[in-house]
Amino acid sequence: MTPTQLFFREPDAVLGLINSRSDTRGRLRRGVLCLLPACVIVFAGFQRRWMSDDGHIYVRTVRQILAGNGPVFNAGERAEASTGTLWQWLLVLAGLPGIDIARAAMYGGLLLTAAGFAFASLGAMRLYADKAVLPLGCLVLLALPPVWDFATSGLETGLATCWIAGAWLLLVTRPDSLSTCVVLGLGPLVRPDLALVTAVFLVAQWLLAQPSRRATFGGLGAALALPAAYEIFRIGYYGQLMPLPGVTKEASHSLWGRGFGYLADFTEPYLLWVPALFLLAALLPTAATRRDVASLVPALAPIVAGLLCWVYVIKVGGDFMHGRMFLPGLLLMVLPVFLVPVTRAWTIAVTGVGIWAVACASLLRIPYEGHIGPDGVADERGVYVRQNATPHPLHHGFANYPSYLAYERLVRDADHAETPTLLLAKTSVTANSPGVTGVWNTLGFSGTVVPLDGAALDPIGLAYPLAAHSERLDARVGHDKRLPDAWIFADRGRGPLPAGLDPAGVAAARRALDCGALAELRAATRDPMTPGRFLRNAAGVWERTSFRFPNDPVRAERQLCGGR
């Protein structure tokens, strides 16, 4: 359009054209700002890309599914080693075309994390009615090294980020949609503890939509259909109420002291109280001025859900990976201020948090970087970078660790010999089942080197039901089960006893394995899956999930077998 043509247009038309161009530029600026946090986390996550050993636990289960052995870690024993159910099945889809599963887990987690940051930005923009915005909450996340680390890692953290932010976006934009109910209900399938988020978000959705009684029950049914269906499958197929790591780590117990130590391990090195003060100082006056449900509920719901997630993590004693279990809750709590409108109060907050973010990203680190801290919490990525002598460990080789190399060599030699072999500590004995049965604490590594027709066992119990149901010890968090070798030999070995094992202990363990709840546990996980077995598993699931037995075989025999 020439200047002359523009001059002779009607004044309203000219004004409309100017406003249209201004709106286009504004939408473009908002779109760039919306995508910028996602681009930054992709860059930071890619620079620190890696695969954790626990990520390789998922990989073995996915390989078993693709090999036709079902969703198990070891063929012939139904154990649910994957905490993130939905993540496991997404990796199955990724593995169908023949893509390397570990690589798919690493890069898939990064893409899902980026998608989550984009969803969070969109939700914040819609929450503030597409006003001009500044980055705030996203600066808190982008400044923290644990966020960079767990953008990959092969674990379900990326999927959790994507689901949390995506569910909140739907809560903000489509609270009255049935599809929103379905998405909100996926929390327990992403991680069992995210059921807390599902519950809070469903209440928030009800408050926003104010549906009829019939619509309420319909929405609740849509939300719970998939999680309930999978829970029915879980209790019948595995005979447990939760994934096996939840049994191993005693997800229903309370270890508040250890949990507060885990909180301090995360918050103190990065001075997280600094951005918290700026956020509270700006958020409280803003929240006080809001009276309408449509704006207050979407802002409060993720904060409440995030606080509940943190309380739960503290209650169960935290985790052994630095910061990891607090990341979903932190994301939830900063969602309402992920981006904020341009006001004086928010601009001051952005300035203060921005200065902290630069200092945090460039200077602040945990004191045990690259190692395991004095309380048993690890810089998990740093540990595997150091142990594998590579900045981006994917398929772990532990090149500088002779014990790992020796174990891999023993597995390979036993597999080539084609004789039933139980690798117990540094001893090879005859196994009572075909193939190689390897016992190693680092389960993901063991699951990688042990063939799928063998068994990779861990005395901690992440994938070994017998160990998972043993008594808890006073040990490192996440590693406080340790099944003695006497039990493993009694369960999996035959022939002469290896040196160092007490014959009386092995004999007592063998008798206890055939008694009471312990015999039922083995039957529930190893008997052929039939309709009758499915129903028996379901009928006894409460008692089986709560069952624990003493580590001492003699005491266990006395307790389980009575006078036998």
Side-chain angles (χ1 to χ4, degrees):
M1 182 179 297
T2 66
T4 302
Q5 290 173 318
L6 180 59
F7 181 82
F8 285 105
R9 290 178 64 90
E10 292 292 331
D12 289 345
V14 174
L15 184 60
L17 182 60
I18 293 172
N19 289 338
S20 176
R21 290 180 176 177
S22 177
D23 289 345
T24 301
R25 287 193 296 269
R27 284 194 296 268
L28 182 61
R29 284 195 299 269
R30 290 192 294 269
V32 170
L33 187 56
C34 179
L35 292 176
L36 190 57
C39 293
V40 174
I41 194 58
V42 165
F43 175 80
F46 183 79
Q47 294 299 313
R48 294 168 73 98
R49 64 194 182 277
W50 69 298
M51 186 74 173
S52 69
D53 185 77
D54 282 22
H56 281 286
I57 296 176
Y58 279 103
V59 172
R60 180 175 173 93
T61 300
V62 171
R63 290 169 57 217
Q64 293 282 21
I65 294 171
L66 295 175
N69 296 325
V72 299
F73 194 79
N74 295 312
E77 184 168 59
R78 294 181 295 276
E80 187 180 12
S82 300
T83 303
T85 301
L86 189 56
W87 181 233
Q88 169 188 285
W89 290 103
L90 287 176
L91 291 179
V92 171
L93 292 177
L96 285 174
I99 298 173
D100 179 70
I101 300 165
R103 197 172 300 276
M106 185 171 72
Y107 288 111
L110 182 58
L111 292 176
L112 286 168
T113 300
F117 274 59
F119 290 155
S121 299
L122 283 170
M125 291 178 65
R126 292 298 298 272
L127 186 65
Y128 297 110
D130 293 327
K131 297 176 182 177
V133 290
L134 293 171
L136 181 57
C138 62
L139 296 179
V140 178
L141 296 173
L142 293 173
L144 293 170
V147 175
W148 312 340
D149 289 351
F150 290 104
T152 55
S153 84
L155 297 169
E156 73 287 338
T157 310
L159 177 61
T161 300
C162 184
W163 174 77
I164 287 170
W168 183 65
L169 174 61
L170 289 174
L171 194 64
V172 171
T173 58
R174 303 179 62 190
D176 55 351
S177 170
L178 196 63
S179 59
T180 299
C181 296
V182 174
V183 173
L184 297 184
L186 294 178
L189 298 180
V190 178
R191 271 191 68 90
D193 50 300
L194 293 182
L196 290 169
V197 183
T198 287
V200 173
F201 278 14
L202 285 174
V203 171
Q205 184 195 25
W206 184 85
L207 291 172
L208 289 168
Q210 292 292 308
S212 65
R213 181 178 298 182
R214 180 177 180 181
T216 297
F217 284 111
L220 189 61
L224 300 183
L226 283 175
Y230 202 88
E231 184 64 18
I232 291 170
F233 167 77
R234 173 181 287 138
I235 64 176
Y237 186 77
Y238 298 108
Q240 304 284 349
L241 284 169
M242 65 187 77
L244 200 61
V247 177
T248 301
K249 299 179 182 182
E250 302 293 3
S252 62
H253 287 193
S254 296
L255 292 170
W256 291 98
R258 182 181 281 183
F260 280 112
Y262 185 64
L263 175 66
D265 179 85
F266 177 53
T267 58
E268 290 180 0
Y270 309 114
L271 307 178
L272 274 175
W273 58 269
V274 175
L277 288 178
F278 278 105
L279 290 175
L280 286 173
L283 185 62
L284 291 178
T286 304
T289 62
R290 291 177 178 267
R291 294 290 185 268
D292 56 309
V293 171
S295 62
L296 193 59
V297 169
L300 286 179
I303 295 174
V304 171
L307 288 171
L308 288 175
C309 286
W310 273 35
V311 169
Y312 176 76
V313 172
I314 294 169
K315 173 187 178 297
V316 299
D319 189 49
F320 66 94
M321 297 187 194
H322 168 70
R324 177 199 169 205
M325 293 304 293
F326 283 128
L327 297 184
L330 181 61
L331 169 63
L332 282 158
M333 286 187 279
V334 302
L335 277 178
V337 293
F338 204 82
L339 304 175
V340 293
V342 182
T343 66
R344 182 179 179 182
W346 285 124
T347 302
I348 293 172
V350 168
T351 303
V353 172
I355 294 171
W356 167 85
V358 171
C360 181
S362 57
L363 299 174
L364 303 181
R365 293 292 183 275
I366 50 175
Y368 52 86
E369 190 172 11
H371 295 81
I372 298 175
D375 296 324
V377 180
D379 172 20
E380 194 75 353
R381 177 187 173 275
V383 167
Y384 284 104
V385 166
R386 180 172 53 83
Q387 291 183 342
N388 289 277
T390 175
H392 306 296
L394 178 60
H395 297 287
H396 299 176
F398 297 96
N400 297 327
Y401 285 75
S403 60
Y404 284 82
L405 300 179
Y407 175 72
E408 184 175 8
R409 185 165 53 252
L410 286 172
V411 170
R412 185 173 58 250
D413 292 346
D415 185 46
H416 288 165
E418 297 184 351
T419 57
T421 304
L422 170 62
L423 301 176
L424 193 64
K426 297 181 180 179
T427 305
S428 297
V429 296
T430 304
N432 59 14
S433 57
V436 182
T437 300
V439 182
W440 197 252
N441 290 336
T442 313
L443 183 59
F445 171 75
S446 183
T448 299
V449 300
V450 173
L452 294 182
D453 59 354
L457 306 181
D458 64 316
I460 298 170
L462 296 175
Y464 187 17
L466 188 63
H469 286 268
S470 62
E471 284 183 337
R472 191 175 207 163
L473 306 174
D474 184 15
R476 181 188 176 200
V477 60
H479 298 73
D480 39 13
K481 297 283 181 79
R482 187 71 53 156
L483 191 68
D485 287 350
W487 283 104
I488 300 175
F489 183 83
D491 182 40
R492 298 281 182 162
R494 60 186 176 88
L497 293 183
L501 285 188
D502 176 25
V506 172
R510 281 181 170 155
R511 287 191 291 270
L513 288 171
D514 291 328
C515 291
L518 203 49
E520 169 57 21
L521 173 66
R522 298 175 82 204
T525 56
R526 298 182 190 177
D527 280 1
M529 179 47 59
T530 63
R533 182 71 261 171
F534 189 98
L535 292 175
R536 286 193 296 275
N537 281 0
V541 69
W542 288 99
E543 295 81 4
R544 191 180 306 108
T545 302
S546 60
F547 164 68
R548 303 293 182 269
F549 65 91
N551 286 301
D552 176 23
V554 175
R555 190 159 60 95
E557 180 202 12
R558 191 180 304 119
Q559 176 179 306
L560 293 165
C561 301
R564 285 183 54 183

